[in-house]
Amino acid sequence: MVAQDFTVDLSKPLVFQVGHLGEAYQEWVHQPIVSKEGPRFFESDFWEFLTLTEWYVIPLIWLPVVGWFILKSIRMDLTIPQVTLFMAFGIFIWTLLEYTLHRFLFHIKTKSYWGNTIHYLIHGCHHKHPMDGLRLVFPPAATAILLLPVWNLMNFLATPSTAPAMFGGGLLGYVIYDITHYYLHHGQPTSEVPKGLKKYHLNHHFRIQDRGFGITSPLWDKAFGTLPPLKLAKKNR
């Protein structure tokens, strides 16, 4: 299904075009188009709608769910300090998951038709159109599907009283991640920490895309040796 010397038509829905690029997909997808208006993905209005998410939908939907899981642990006689501790552990686990997914799944090398197509849907679209504000956060329907096996795994690994607090903490970590990610692309930070994170993340997009996988923190980049080279980081200042 890969076409020789295929050219993507940006005026048409992209999802089922990009697979035809074959080995040329990797180079194409990492040549960003800086525009706040994103491309159309699908011919179908229904499927197109499912790919579009305003940033504020994420806390509106998931923070009440976080609260419900916290209350679930409290009702099982965990104290507030204990709930806080397990939530913090859940957030910590999320930061590692954030890094791992970004590095090993979102930046996997593909060249087959369906490999390119799936990669574009998961993350390639974000690198090709990094300022598309309606595709910066993860669609809630897809998140809900992914959360079910994670919750089942958490129940298997933890006790009935601690699993909800840990899961709620991990989910809170995800919410913080998605909102932070949106802000790093569209916000105008004035204080040093968010300004540094914005420069760090945009460096990943526009200068060296196989380094700097942390979004909310460079912690795991430091731990696993994927910090961007210092000279490139300086050029971005």
Side-chain angles (χ1 to χ4, degrees):
M1 297 179 73
V2 173
Q4 193 71 24
D5 298 324
F6 181 79
T7 301
V8 173
D9 186 346
L10 296 174
S11 68
K12 296 179 180 180
L14 294 186
V15 168
F16 294 119
Q17 290 191 68
V18 299
H20 293 298
L21 287 167
E23 293 182 354
Y25 169 76
Q26 291 296 325
E27 181 180 358
W28 176 86
V29 82
H30 289 113
Q31 294 173 345
I33 297 173
V34 182
S35 171
K36 290 185 179 181
E37 294 183 6
R40 188 171 180 91
F41 274 23
F42 296 101
E43 289 279 2
S44 165
D45 289 338
F46 172 74
W47 292 110
E48 183 72 9
F49 171 75
L50 290 181
T51 71
L52 305 173
T53 309
E54 295 280 2
W55 72 268
Y56 54 78
V57 170
I58 302 305
L60 281 176
I61 289 179
W62 296 119
L63 286 183
V65 179
V66 171
W68 186 85
F69 278 103
I70 293 170
L71 286 175
K72 189 175 175 68
S73 281
I74 292 174
R75 288 170 182 163
M76 292 182 179
D77 296 328
L78 252 65
T79 64
I80 298 298
Q82 287 173 327
V83 168
T84 303
L85 178 64
F86 284 109
M87 281 188 66
F89 184 67
I91 293 173
F92 177 77
I93 294 298
W94 163 257
T95 64
L96 179 58
L97 186 60
E98 169 195 317
Y99 172 87
T100 303
L101 288 173
H102 193 185
R103 180 179 177 182
F104 296 106
L105 178 61
F106 294 175
H107 281 267
I108 191 172
K109 304 297 183 184
T110 60
K111 60 181 179 180
S112 69
Y113 177 85
W114 287 110
N116 291 347
T117 301
I118 293 169
H119 179 267
Y120 182 78
L121 276 170
I122 293 174
H123 193 63
C125 59
H126 177 54
H127 271 266
K128 189 64 181 178
H129 294 87
M131 302 308 290
D132 183 353
L134 293 177
R135 293 193 177 98
L136 261 169
V137 296
F138 209 61
T143 303
I145 293 170
L146 294 174
L147 285 178
L148 185 59
V150 174
W151 168 240
N152 289 333
L153 178 63
M154 194 71 71
N155 266 322
F156 177 75
L157 295 175
T159 66
S161 61
T162 60
M166 289 173 59
F167 184 79
L171 186 54
L172 178 60
Y174 157 71
V175 172
I176 294 169
Y177 152 81
D178 242 357
I179 295 173
T180 300
H181 190 200
Y182 184 90
Y183 181 72
L184 295 182
H185 280 266
H186 291 281
Q188 299 298 327
T190 56
S191 56
E192 288 304 312
V193 172
K195 281 174 68 176
L197 280 177
K198 183 179 178 78
K199 290 178 181 179
Y200 188 80
H201 185 58
L202 294 185
N203 186 58
H204 168 74
H205 273 281
F206 295 105
R207 290 187 177 271
I208 183 162
Q209 291 144 345
D210 61 351
R211 294 287 188 274
F213 299 105
I215 307 296
T216 55
S217 165
L219 170 66
W220 297 110
D221 283 310
K222 293 178 181 177
F224 294 115
T226 52
L227 282 171
L230 186 59
K231 289 183 179 180
L232 281 175
K234 284 182 176 179
K235 287 181 182 179
N236 199 40
R237 290 179 182 175

